[in-house]
């Protein structure tokens, strides 16, 4: 139901969890400064006396706190530890690991900063007093693991007193996901919510919140039968009753679950393991929806439910079965939307918007990121896939805008989103990190005439997923090299809707009418390079990179992508033999883009030249600068060395000095300088300290290395240490758009590089180097 914090641990798992939480530093959170504090001026701005200016601005207009502080992106996860799921009333201090975990999920999935706050406040009044006093600090409050019925009262009083969103995730997060699953399950069964009978086991905070939201969506109270430890909730019952539970009291003589479950369309379990016996399912309606959400063991195990009712649709709170109801599906994104529009509360309309967004997303094709969370075949919308995977990156793109829009429409947004398209674009950049940098290229590719991009590894899942994106986004016409039957089977397996020879062309290496002419063309290019006719026939039949390059050369494609399998140099050899270099190019080079929290940094040459000459380095720098301008970025090149502006003499440092001189002579408008240390490249302050008249301003965004060892090692180390996104390698110097990727590339990386290739094919003159 909620996150996996509910699972009991034992044995090795206990030891591993303790080690995980203790090392290398205790806990799971830290605080980082977002502004530099490198000198006295920074300190004066950050604290006294400069801090007075934003303080007075906020005093005059409290809403400007969103402009000058982190409040609008800061949420408090608050608990008194009275009902930690699966662990019970363990107290506030013992609940801290859980609350830190919740904070990590907020940050990971929605980029929201969190302070976890554990309060020693068992009483309602004390809880309300403490939490309400936190309003100046936070943009929202997430109540967590507070026992029922106190949680209802606390949330209600806080919502009345506070002008920021207060959200008890155990109630409403669960309710939103449950409602989305029920809507989709009933849709598949051909039923309407207002007509179905709902029977519940459990009457705690989560269960009642689910029922309340379902009523808001159209369910009828008279069709809802609620059971707790005392049996059915009925009119006249006095034991364990309260104002929230009494709403669902039935006027009936029935008292037990087995008496009321007959004809039920939905069983909603938020109670205890084994409550729903297999024989009880027999009396339920056709195509029943069984939501057995008790953790860690559900009211009935899915295999037993399936055996008793093969037509049943089953959801649990467990990650090892389909249809996991996991709160991380919604709470980060609901807060994201609420914070971004300055919502004063999270109302019913906002929750319903989230329900519909989640339900609709489940009907879309599963993304590659979500697919990797599954073993075996990728699920499609149906009885075993009623709700999206918690790892689907599109959740934030669907839920946050829907919530923000509903907040604006209901008048609770203090800062309504004025440009929803720009807002979604900003969220998309958070999801993929490449969105901002790639934006100019995607725009150019969509506005240009569609180009044909041929993929050498057309059977690869990443290529298939990329092909669907390219088609849907109207970016390119994919051509896939591969066996048609394998491609078709994998499209079905991965739940993709595009079809071979209908939506895209397939080149079958085992049976293509152009085979003979391909062999003749290939032999004509390599026949005098040691390749005999028999070998040429074998290569054309078995080497998909050769096929792609020949198709490109024959103008049967406009660009090519390869390299998802095999070694870079092998692919480069094939591209070089068939495509060749652009006029005036001395040597190929590879440009890599790393996108991290500090922005975009390009590195060259990361894959081709082992020990380039000064002339080659200058040429690579010019080609790289030209490519960087495609991204809408002004290139600023630093030629790196162990020497810092002549501090040491060596063959390597002298080579970089000559290269810098050549660049200034041939392209004086290009910001470039060297030779210099890496820290000088990234810090103008350090650079000017040793070379006041440096011609490079700001932070270098193009790092040019003296040899392949330095470039490739730096790329790998920085990418891993910073968790930066790698775009590339971008092949520079080829006569036609051809790119050799790395085996570690994701499907999003394939989309990025295919888009770049489309832009290169659309504007070919910009690819040529003048050296």
């Amino acid at each position: 139901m909620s996150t996996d914090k509910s699972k009991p641990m034992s044995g090795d798992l206990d030891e591993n969890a303790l080690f995980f939480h203790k090392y290398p530093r205790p806990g799971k959170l830290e605080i980082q400064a977002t502004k530099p504090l490198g000198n006295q001026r920074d300190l004066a701005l950050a604290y006294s006396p400069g801090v007075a200016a934003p303080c007075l601005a906020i005093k005059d207009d409290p809403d400007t706190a969103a402009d000058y502080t982190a409040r609008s992106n800061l949420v408090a996860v608050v608990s008194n530890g009275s009902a930690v799921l699966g662990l019970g009333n363990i107290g506030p201090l013992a609940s801290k690991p859980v609350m830190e975990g919740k904070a990590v999920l907020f940050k990971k999935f929605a980029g929201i900063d969190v302070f976890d706050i554990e309060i020693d406040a068992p009483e309602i009044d004390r809880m309300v007093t403490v939490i309400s006093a936190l309003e100046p600090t936070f943009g929202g409050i997430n109540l967590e693991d507070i026992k029922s019925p106190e949680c209802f009262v606390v949330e209600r009083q806080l919502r009345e007193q506070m002008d920021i969103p207060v959200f008890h995730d155990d109630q409403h997060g669960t309710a939103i996901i449950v409602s989305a699953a029920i809507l989709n399950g009933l849709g598949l069964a051909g039923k309407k919510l207002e007509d179905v009978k709902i029977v519940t086991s459990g009457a705690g905070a989560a269960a009642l919140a689910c029922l309340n939201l379902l009523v808001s969506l159209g369910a009828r109270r008279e069709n809802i039968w609620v059971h707790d430890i005392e049996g059915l909730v009925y009119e006249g019952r006095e034991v364990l009753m309260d104002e929230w539970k009494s709403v669902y009291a039935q006027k009936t003589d029935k008292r037990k679950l087995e008496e009321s479950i007959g004809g039920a369309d939905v069983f909603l379990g938020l109670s205890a393991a084994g409550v729903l016996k297999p024989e009880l399912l027999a009396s339920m309606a056709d195509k029943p929806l069984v939501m057995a959400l008790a953790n860690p063991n559900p009211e009935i195990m899915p295999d037993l439910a399936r055996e008793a009712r093969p037509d049943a649709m089953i959801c649990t709170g467990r990650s090892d079965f389909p249809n996991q109801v996991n709160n991380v599906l919604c709470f980060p994104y609901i807060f994201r939307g609420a914070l971004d529009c300055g919502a004063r509360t999270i109302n019913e309309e906002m929750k319903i918007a989230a329900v519909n967004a989640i339900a609709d997303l489940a009907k879309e094709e599963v993304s590659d990121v979500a697919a990797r969370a599954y073993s075996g075949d990728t699920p499609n919308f149906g009885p075993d896939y009623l709700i999206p995977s918690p790892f689907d990156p599109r959740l934030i793109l669907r839920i946050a805008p829907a919530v923000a829009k509903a907040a604006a429409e209901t008048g609770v947004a203090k800062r309504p989103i004025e440009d929803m398209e720009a807002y979604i674009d900003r969220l998309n950049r958070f999801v993929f990190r490449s969105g901002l940098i790639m934006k100019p290229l995607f725009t150019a590719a969509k506005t240009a005439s569609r180009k044909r991009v041929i993929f050498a590894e057309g059977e690869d899942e990443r290529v298939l997923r990329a092909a669907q994106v390219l088609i849907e986004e109207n970016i390119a016409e994919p051509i896939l090299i591969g066996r048609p039957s394998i491609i078709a089977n994998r499209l079905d397996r991965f739940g993709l809707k595009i079809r071979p020879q209908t939506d895209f062309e397939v080149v079958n290496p085992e049976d293509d009418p152009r085979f003979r002419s391909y062999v003749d063309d290939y032999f004509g290019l390599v026949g005098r390079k040691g390749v005999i006719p028999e070998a040429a026939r074998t290569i054309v039949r078995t080497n998909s990179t050769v096929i792609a390059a020949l198709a490109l050369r024959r103008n049967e494609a406009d660009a090519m992508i390869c390299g998802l399998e095999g070694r870079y140099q092998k692919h480069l050899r094939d591209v070089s033999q068939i495509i060749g270099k652009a006029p005036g190019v001395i040597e190929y080079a590879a440009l890599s883009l790393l996108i991290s929290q500090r922005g975009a940094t390009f590195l060259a040459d990361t894959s081709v030249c082992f020990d380039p000459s000064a002339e080659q380095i200058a040429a690579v720098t010019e080609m790289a600068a030209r490519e960087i301008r495609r991204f809408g970025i002004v290139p600023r090149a630093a030629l790196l060395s162990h020497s810092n502006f002549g501090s040491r003499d060596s063959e390597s440092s002298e080579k970089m000095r000559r290269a810098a001189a050549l660049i200034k002579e041939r392209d004086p408008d290009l910001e470039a300088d060297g030779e210099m240390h890496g820290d000088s490249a990234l810090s103008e302050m350090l650079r000017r300290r040793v070379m006041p008249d440096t011609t490079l301003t700001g932070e270098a965004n193009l790092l040019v290395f003296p040899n392949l060892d330095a470039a490739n090692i730096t790329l790998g180390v920085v990418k891993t240490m910073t968790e930066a996104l790698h775009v590339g390698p971008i092949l520079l110097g080829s006569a036609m758009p051809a790119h050799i990727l790395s085996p570690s590339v994701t499907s999003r990386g394939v989309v990025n590089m295919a888009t770049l290739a489309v832009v290169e094919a659309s504007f070919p003159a910009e690819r040529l180097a003048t050296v």
Side-chain angles (χ1 to χ4, degrees):
M1 175 179 69
S2 186
T3 52
D4 284 345
K5 66 188 181 184
S6 61
K7 293 188 178 182
M9 298 183 293
S10 61
D12 291 341
L13 186 58
D14 281 344
E15 294 299 321
N16 291 335
L18 291 173
F19 185 90
F20 175 85
H21 283 77
K22 187 173 183 179
Y23 299 102
R25 294 172 57 186
K28 301 186 285 286
L29 297 172
E30 67 176 1
I31 296 175
Q32 290 186 340
T34 60
K35 298 294 191 295
L37 295 173
N39 52 47
Q40 187 62 40
R41 182 176 184 274
D42 291 342
L43 292 174
L45 292 173
Y47 198 54
S48 180
V51 75
C55 288
L56 293 175
I58 295 170
K59 177 180 178 294
D60 293 337
D61 181 2
D63 287 343
T64 61
D67 300 320
Y68 301 124
T69 75
R71 182 174 184 261
S72 63
N73 194 53
L74 185 62
V75 166
V77 172
V78 184
S79 179
N80 66 354
S82 59
V84 179
L85 196 59
L87 300 175
N89 187 359
I90 61 175
L93 182 59
S95 75
K96 189 172 181 64
V98 177
M99 303 311 131
E100 283 189 357
K102 193 66 174 282
V104 170
L105 295 178
F106 267 107
K107 187 67 173 180
K108 170 69 176 177
F109 288 97
I112 295 172
D113 296 317
V114 168
F115 290 160
D116 64 289
I117 298 178
E118 297 75 30
I119 58 175
D120 184 8
E123 306 87 0
I124 290 175
D125 290 345
R126 182 171 171 83
M127 272 191 281
V128 171
T129 299
V130 171
I131 297 171
S132 62
L134 299 173
E135 183 170 351
T137 300
F138 296 99
I141 303 290
N142 182 97
L143 301 176
E144 189 77 10
D145 293 348
I146 300 171
K147 70 183 181 74
S148 174
E150 287 90 333
C151 61
F152 296 117
V153 181
V154 169
E155 185 188 43
R156 182 171 63 191
Q157 291 188 16
L158 289 174
R159 286 166 61 92
E160 292 171 352
Q161 295 182 28
M162 303 181 78
D163 200 36
I164 58 175
V166 178
F167 188 82
H168 186 207
D169 181 47
D170 296 331
Q171 291 183 56
H172 308 299
T174 304
I176 287 166
I177 303 158
V178 164
S179 296
I182 288 177
L183 289 183
N184 279 346
L186 294 180
L188 287 172
K191 302 176 182 179
K192 295 181 178 180
L193 182 59
E194 58 265 29
D195 298 330
V196 298
K197 179 180 180 180
I198 301 171
V199 175
T200 74
S201 174
L208 293 174
C210 290
L211 297 177
N212 293 340
L213 187 54
L214 287 170
V215 169
S216 295
L217 288 163
R220 297 178 181 172
R221 294 182 188 272
E222 59 267 27
N223 292 339
I224 297 173
W225 299 67
V226 178
H227 303 77
D228 61 11
I229 195 170
E230 290 293 325
L232 181 69
V233 174
Y234 61 90
E235 289 186 6
R237 196 182 107 173
E238 297 181 357
V239 179
L240 288 181
M241 293 296 289
D242 54 51
E243 61 178 290
W244 300 276
K245 198 183 301 182
S246 298
V247 171
Y248 296 100
Q250 289 280 359
K251 187 175 183 179
T252 180
D253 294 332
K254 297 176 181 179
R255 296 292 182 266
K256 298 179 180 179
L257 180 63
E258 53 265 33
E259 296 172 345
S260 61
I261 199 170
D265 300 280
V266 178
F267 170 81
L268 174 59
L270 287 149
S271 53
V275 168
L276 183 61
K277 306 300 181 185
E279 56 269 21
L280 297 184
L281 282 106
S283 65
M284 292 185 71
D286 290 340
K287 299 180 181 179
L289 179 57
V290 177
M291 307 203 69
L293 306 181
N295 258 326
N297 298 312
E299 286 77 4
I300 186 169
M301 293 299 289
D303 52 347
L304 292 177
R306 184 76 65 204
E307 182 179 345
R309 286 298 298 266
D311 61 336
M313 292 171 278
I314 306 162
C315 299
T316 70
R318 295 171 58 127
S319 59
D320 52 348
F321 291 104
N323 292 324
Q324 183 196 13
V325 175
N326 189 323
N327 285 16
V328 79
L329 271 166
C330 72
F331 73 79
Y333 317 119
I334 289 172
F335 269 97
R336 180 74 280 158
L339 292 172
D340 290 341
C341 70
R344 295 191 299 271
T345 186
I346 296 175
N347 59 28
E348 204 73 2
E349 291 83 359
M350 294 161 73
K351 290 187 286 183
I352 291 173
V355 170
N356 292 327
I358 294 170
D360 290 343
L361 179 57
K363 300 170 188 176
E364 299 182 28
E365 290 78 19
V366 179
S367 73
D368 64 308
V369 176
R372 287 198 295 270
Y374 296 92
S375 58
D377 293 347
T378 302
N380 297 316
F381 176 63
D384 289 331
Y385 190 72
L386 297 175
I387 46 179
S389 161
F391 298 99
D392 195 319
R394 297 170 297 178
L395 285 162
I396 192 172
L397 304 178
R398 304 294 188 271
I399 299 174
V403 168
K405 184 172 183 288
E409 291 174 347
T410 55
V412 299
K414 290 186 284 188
R415 301 185 304 275
I417 306 296
E418 296 182 0
D419 188 338
M420 189 59 70
E421 184 177 345
Y423 176 59
I424 294 173
D425 187 54
R426 193 175 84 202
L427 295 174
N428 191 67
R429 295 199 297 270
F430 169 78
V431 172
F432 295 115
R433 288 187 293 173
S434 60
L436 176 62
I437 306 301
M438 293 297 299
K439 180 69 174 177
L441 297 183
F442 278 105
T443 301
K446 290 179 180 181
T447 55
S449 59
R450 290 185 69 179
K451 298 297 181 182
R452 302 159 297 171
V453 180
I454 188 165
F455 295 88
E457 294 87 4
E459 296 176 1
D460 191 286
E461 177 185 356
R462 293 164 292 179
V463 170
L464 297 175
R465 293 188 179 280
Q468 176 151 309
V469 173
L470 294 170
I471 292 169
E472 291 181 343
E473 296 293 324
N474 198 32
I475 294 171
E477 296 179 10
I479 303 171
L480 274 54
I481 299 174
R483 295 159 292 178
S485 60
I486 299 298
I487 290 174
N489 288 337
R490 290 184 177 178
L491 288 171
D492 289 336
R493 178 183 176 187
F494 302 136
L496 302 175
K497 66 182 181 183
I498 55 174
R499 287 294 170 260
Q501 309 299 13
T502 300
D503 299 304
F504 60 91
E505 181 184 345
V506 175
V507 176
N508 184 359
E510 297 178 344
D511 182 20
D512 191 286
R514 298 167 291 187
F515 175 70
R516 291 184 182 277
S517 61
Y518 270 43
V519 172
D520 291 342
D521 288 349
Y522 182 61
F523 185 72
L525 292 167
V526 301
R528 294 184 178 274
K529 297 179 181 179
V531 179
I532 62 176
E534 290 79 3
R537 285 192 287 271
T538 300
I539 291 171
V540 172
R541 181 75 76 190
T542 59
N543 189 325
S544 59
T545 298
V546 167
I547 297 172
L550 287 169
L552 181 57
R553 182 182 177 89
R554 290 158 55 100
N555 292 320
E556 295 169 358
D558 301 300
M560 68 170 282
I561 299 292
C562 64
L564 280 78
E565 299 173 3
R567 297 187 179 277
Y568 190 94
Q569 290 300 321
K570 178 177 177 294
H571 292 286
L572 182 60
R573 179 200 65 198
D574 295 331
V575 170
S576 178
Q577 288 179 339
I578 299 168
I579 303 300
K581 302 185 187 75
V585 169
I586 299 175
E587 181 57 275
Y588 297 102
L591 177 68
S592 288
L593 165 61
L594 290 181
I595 305 171
S596 65
Q597 290 184 345
R598 66 183 299 129
T601 305
F602 294 85
L603 295 80
D605 163 23
T606 54
S607 298
V608 180
C609 296
F610 291 99
D611 188 15
S613 66
E615 290 74 16
Q616 287 175 315
I617 289 172
V620 167
T621 304
E622 293 178 77
M623 288 193 295
R626 188 173 294 108
E627 197 71 23
I628 291 170
R629 291 190 181 98
R630 291 188 186 277
F631 293 84
I633 297 173
V634 176
R636 296 188 297 274
L639 279 63
L640 303 182
S641 172
H642 66 88
S643 172
N644 205 26
F645 296 105
S647 63
R648 296 184 66 180
D649 289 329
S650 68
E651 183 178 343
S652 173
S653 61
E654 290 175 3
K655 176 177 68 175
M656 299 306 282
R657 286 175 214 153
R658 292 198 306 272
L662 286 171
I663 293 169
K664 290 178 182 178
E665 178 184 331
R666 297 201 303 234
D667 192 355
D669 293 331
L670 173 62
E671 270 198 51
D673 207 350
E675 82 290 9
M676 70 179 73
H677 287 169
D679 54 358
S680 294
L682 299 178
S683 170
E684 184 174 21
M685 181 181 68
L686 291 177
R687 187 166 60 251
R688 292 198 177 278
R689 185 176 297 166
V690 297
M691 183 53 59
D693 63 348
T694 177
T695 56
L696 181 63
T697 62
E699 180 178 316
N701 54 27
L702 171 57
L703 306 180
V704 183
F705 293 85
N707 56 52
L708 184 59
D709 278 346
N712 196 270
I713 291 170
T714 301
L715 172 65
V717 170
V718 173
K719 180 174 69 172
T720 302
M721 290 183 65
T722 64
E723 297 184 347
L725 176 69
H726 179 210
V727 178
I730 302 167
L731 183 61
L732 305 175
S734 62
M736 303 178 76
H739 293 291
I740 306 165
L741 309 187
S742 64
S744 62
V745 70
T746 64
S747 69
R748 186 68 188 184
V750 176
V751 171
N752 286 339
M753 292 305 298
T755 301
L756 174 60
V758 167
V759 175
E760 291 177 337
S762 301
F763 308 98
E766 296 182 12
R767 306 190 69 253
L768 304 182
T770 54
V771 298

